Amino acid sequence: MAVLLETSQGDIVIDLYTEQRPKCCLNFLKLCKLKYYNFCLFHTVQRNFLAQTGDPLGTGEGGTSVWGVIKGEEYRFFEGESAPRLKHEKLGTVSMVNNGHGCHGSQFFITTGENLDFLDGKHTVFGEVAEGVDVVLKINEAYCDKQGRPYQDIRVYHTVVLEDPFDDPEGLVAPSRSPSPPREITDSNRIGAEEDVDDFKGMSEEQILEVISIREAKANAQILEMVGDIPDADGRPPENVLFVCKLNPATTAEDLEIIFSRFGPILSSEVIKDHKTGDSLQYAFIEFEKEDDCISAYFKMDNVLIDDRRIHVDFCQSLAKVKGPRRRTFSEEDPVDLKKARNDGLVTKQKTRTADYEMVFDEVEMARHPETKQEKRKRRTSDSDSERKYSRAKERGRRDDRRERSERHGRDEESKGRRGDSGHYRQERERERKWDDRGGRESHKRPRRSRSRSRERHHHYHKKRERSRSRSRERHRRH
């Protein structure tokens, strides 16, 4: 038992499992006989997974069984068949879509992948693709949006029942002719199934590469316009200006004007120089009065020797003198607007342009960033990394030494007090009591001791420690 599906991508023949799934096959065959699937959209295509159709609305939420068509909305769905168990093992398996409650309507899907065992038991397998696997793979490669709907519609145009072993249900009336396309198809704003979207059809490989390069150039020009590098994406550089590079640093604009004036009148000749040092950057722009003179100089002056240097000549690609309608320009005579533009970040590379060609960074941009990287580095870091590490370690060592001495001194004084020593400890305590009686510091704070007394205690501690070490060495020699 088989059904032929005529789709916009080709024909697909489906063999049905009428013995294992009689109810699903009956529903599918009678819907095909009623032309219910005509113009149905493949509304969900997931690559290497499945392609779903069978919904006349094309949303994935519509569709009804053949009993719903005959008897009404109450019989829209029917209960699925689970025995015998059939698996989604191979590509081209055809299954009815589960509505979430173990029932089916009119929607079905064709698997475009293998071993989809997680679909087993949820959706009822009732057939497989016998012919047209290449069409299924073609549908699988369709470009889709985030919801899985193909950008170009893929539809089932017609269904033909090749063999039907089941009797028609009571009340089923087959139409005498195929239905006309619904209005949703003709009024759709998406790419139609029959529309040709291949822009390179009939072109050679060289023509295709040329079209792609033109598109990339336009896209890059739009990006440069958005970031403010060029005034207009559709703007073109002047055709009467030459770009000359690989110049000798000693070559001046007057020299170039004299050399190139043999081809015709020259409006301007300028060698680009560094803003700070004033040294030549070894390239220049020469503007002719006529385009023919510019073309003649381009063909005759390339690779010519000037001041012991082989120069290179090309047509100018700079848009420095082109002013677009969207670019905001500011004059140097209006310092208020210029200052506001600096703060707002609206100043572009053309804001103070004159008739001259300039470097990538003009005067206003240099004013915004007056310091060089070396100056910033000197201002931020005065010492090297090694000197900083050494100074930090030295300071850390000093703090540790002070903390250790204070702890040792406290232990020594406490031990003297426990032994009943009438030396410095009692004098210190007496001095603190007198200080508290006069309304000085709090009782738990001691007055600052003199440095000479601290040094004496420190020296006494080291002498005592040295005597104990000498005694231990002497005992060791005796034993």
Side-chain angles (χ1 to χ4, degrees), residues 121-134:
K122 300 178 182 178
H123 307 279
T124 304
V125 178
F126 69 97
E128 64 179 29
V129 175
E131 299 179 13
V133 177
D134 56 334

Side-chain angles (χ1 to χ4, degrees), residues 440-457:
R441 301 178 183 178
E442 297 178 357
S443 60
H444 66 279
K445 293 184 179 180
R446 296 183 178 182
R448 187 183 298 273
R449 299 181 177 87
S450 63
R451 293 185 178 179
S452 60
R453 191 177 298 112
S454 298
R455 283 197 294 269
E456 290 177 2
R457 294 193 187 96

Side-chain angles (χ1 to χ4, degrees), residues 47-84:
R47 186 165 296 186
N48 299 328
F49 184 39
L50 57 83
Q52 184 174 338
T53 184
D55 179 13
L57 302 179
T59 60
E61 300 178 356
T64 180
S65 66
V66 65
W67 296 280
V69 175
I70 298 173
K71 299 180 181 181
E73 188 69 19
E74 297 179 359
Y75 299 91
R76 179 182 176 184
F77 299 105
F78 65 95
E79 189 175 356
E81 301 162 295
S82 57

Side-chain angles (χ1 to χ4, degrees), residues 464-475:
K464 185 178 178 180
R465 188 175 182 183
E466 186 64 28
R467 285 197 298 269
S468 63
R469 288 180 178 176
S470 61
R471 292 194 199 100
S472 62
R473 286 196 293 269
E474 184 67 24
R475 286 194 298 270

Side-chain angles (χ1 to χ4, degrees), residues 12 42 44-53 88-95 108-116 118-119 127-129 132-142 144 148 150 154:
I12 301 174
F42 279 88
T44 302
V45 176
Q46 301 183 32
R47 186 165 296 186
N48 299 328
F49 184 39
L50 57 83
Q52 184 174 338
T53 184
H88 300 78
E89 293 181 344
K90 57 182 178 180
L91 184 146
T93 302
V94 184
S95 296
F108 66 95
F109 63 82
I110 304 173
T111 60
T112 57
E114 298 178 349
N115 298 322
L116 305 177
F118 54 88
L119 298 177
E128 64 179 29
V129 175
V133 177
D134 56 334
V135 178
V136 175
L137 295 176
K138 191 175 181 181
I139 296 174
N140 182 52
E141 297 297 327
C144 304
I154 303 175

Side-chain angles (χ1 to χ4, degrees), residues 91-108:
L91 184 146
T93 302
V94 184
S95 296
M96 297 299 294
V97 177
N98 190 341
N99 69 342
H101 302 284
C103 297
H104 307 303
S106 64
Q107 296 188 43
F108 66 95

Side-chain angles (χ1 to χ4, degrees), residues 389-400:
K389 291 179 181 178
Y390 175 74
S391 61
R392 291 172 185 169
K394 191 174 181 180
E395 181 64 25
R396 200 180 302 116
R398 291 173 181 172
R399 289 197 299 267
D400 295 341

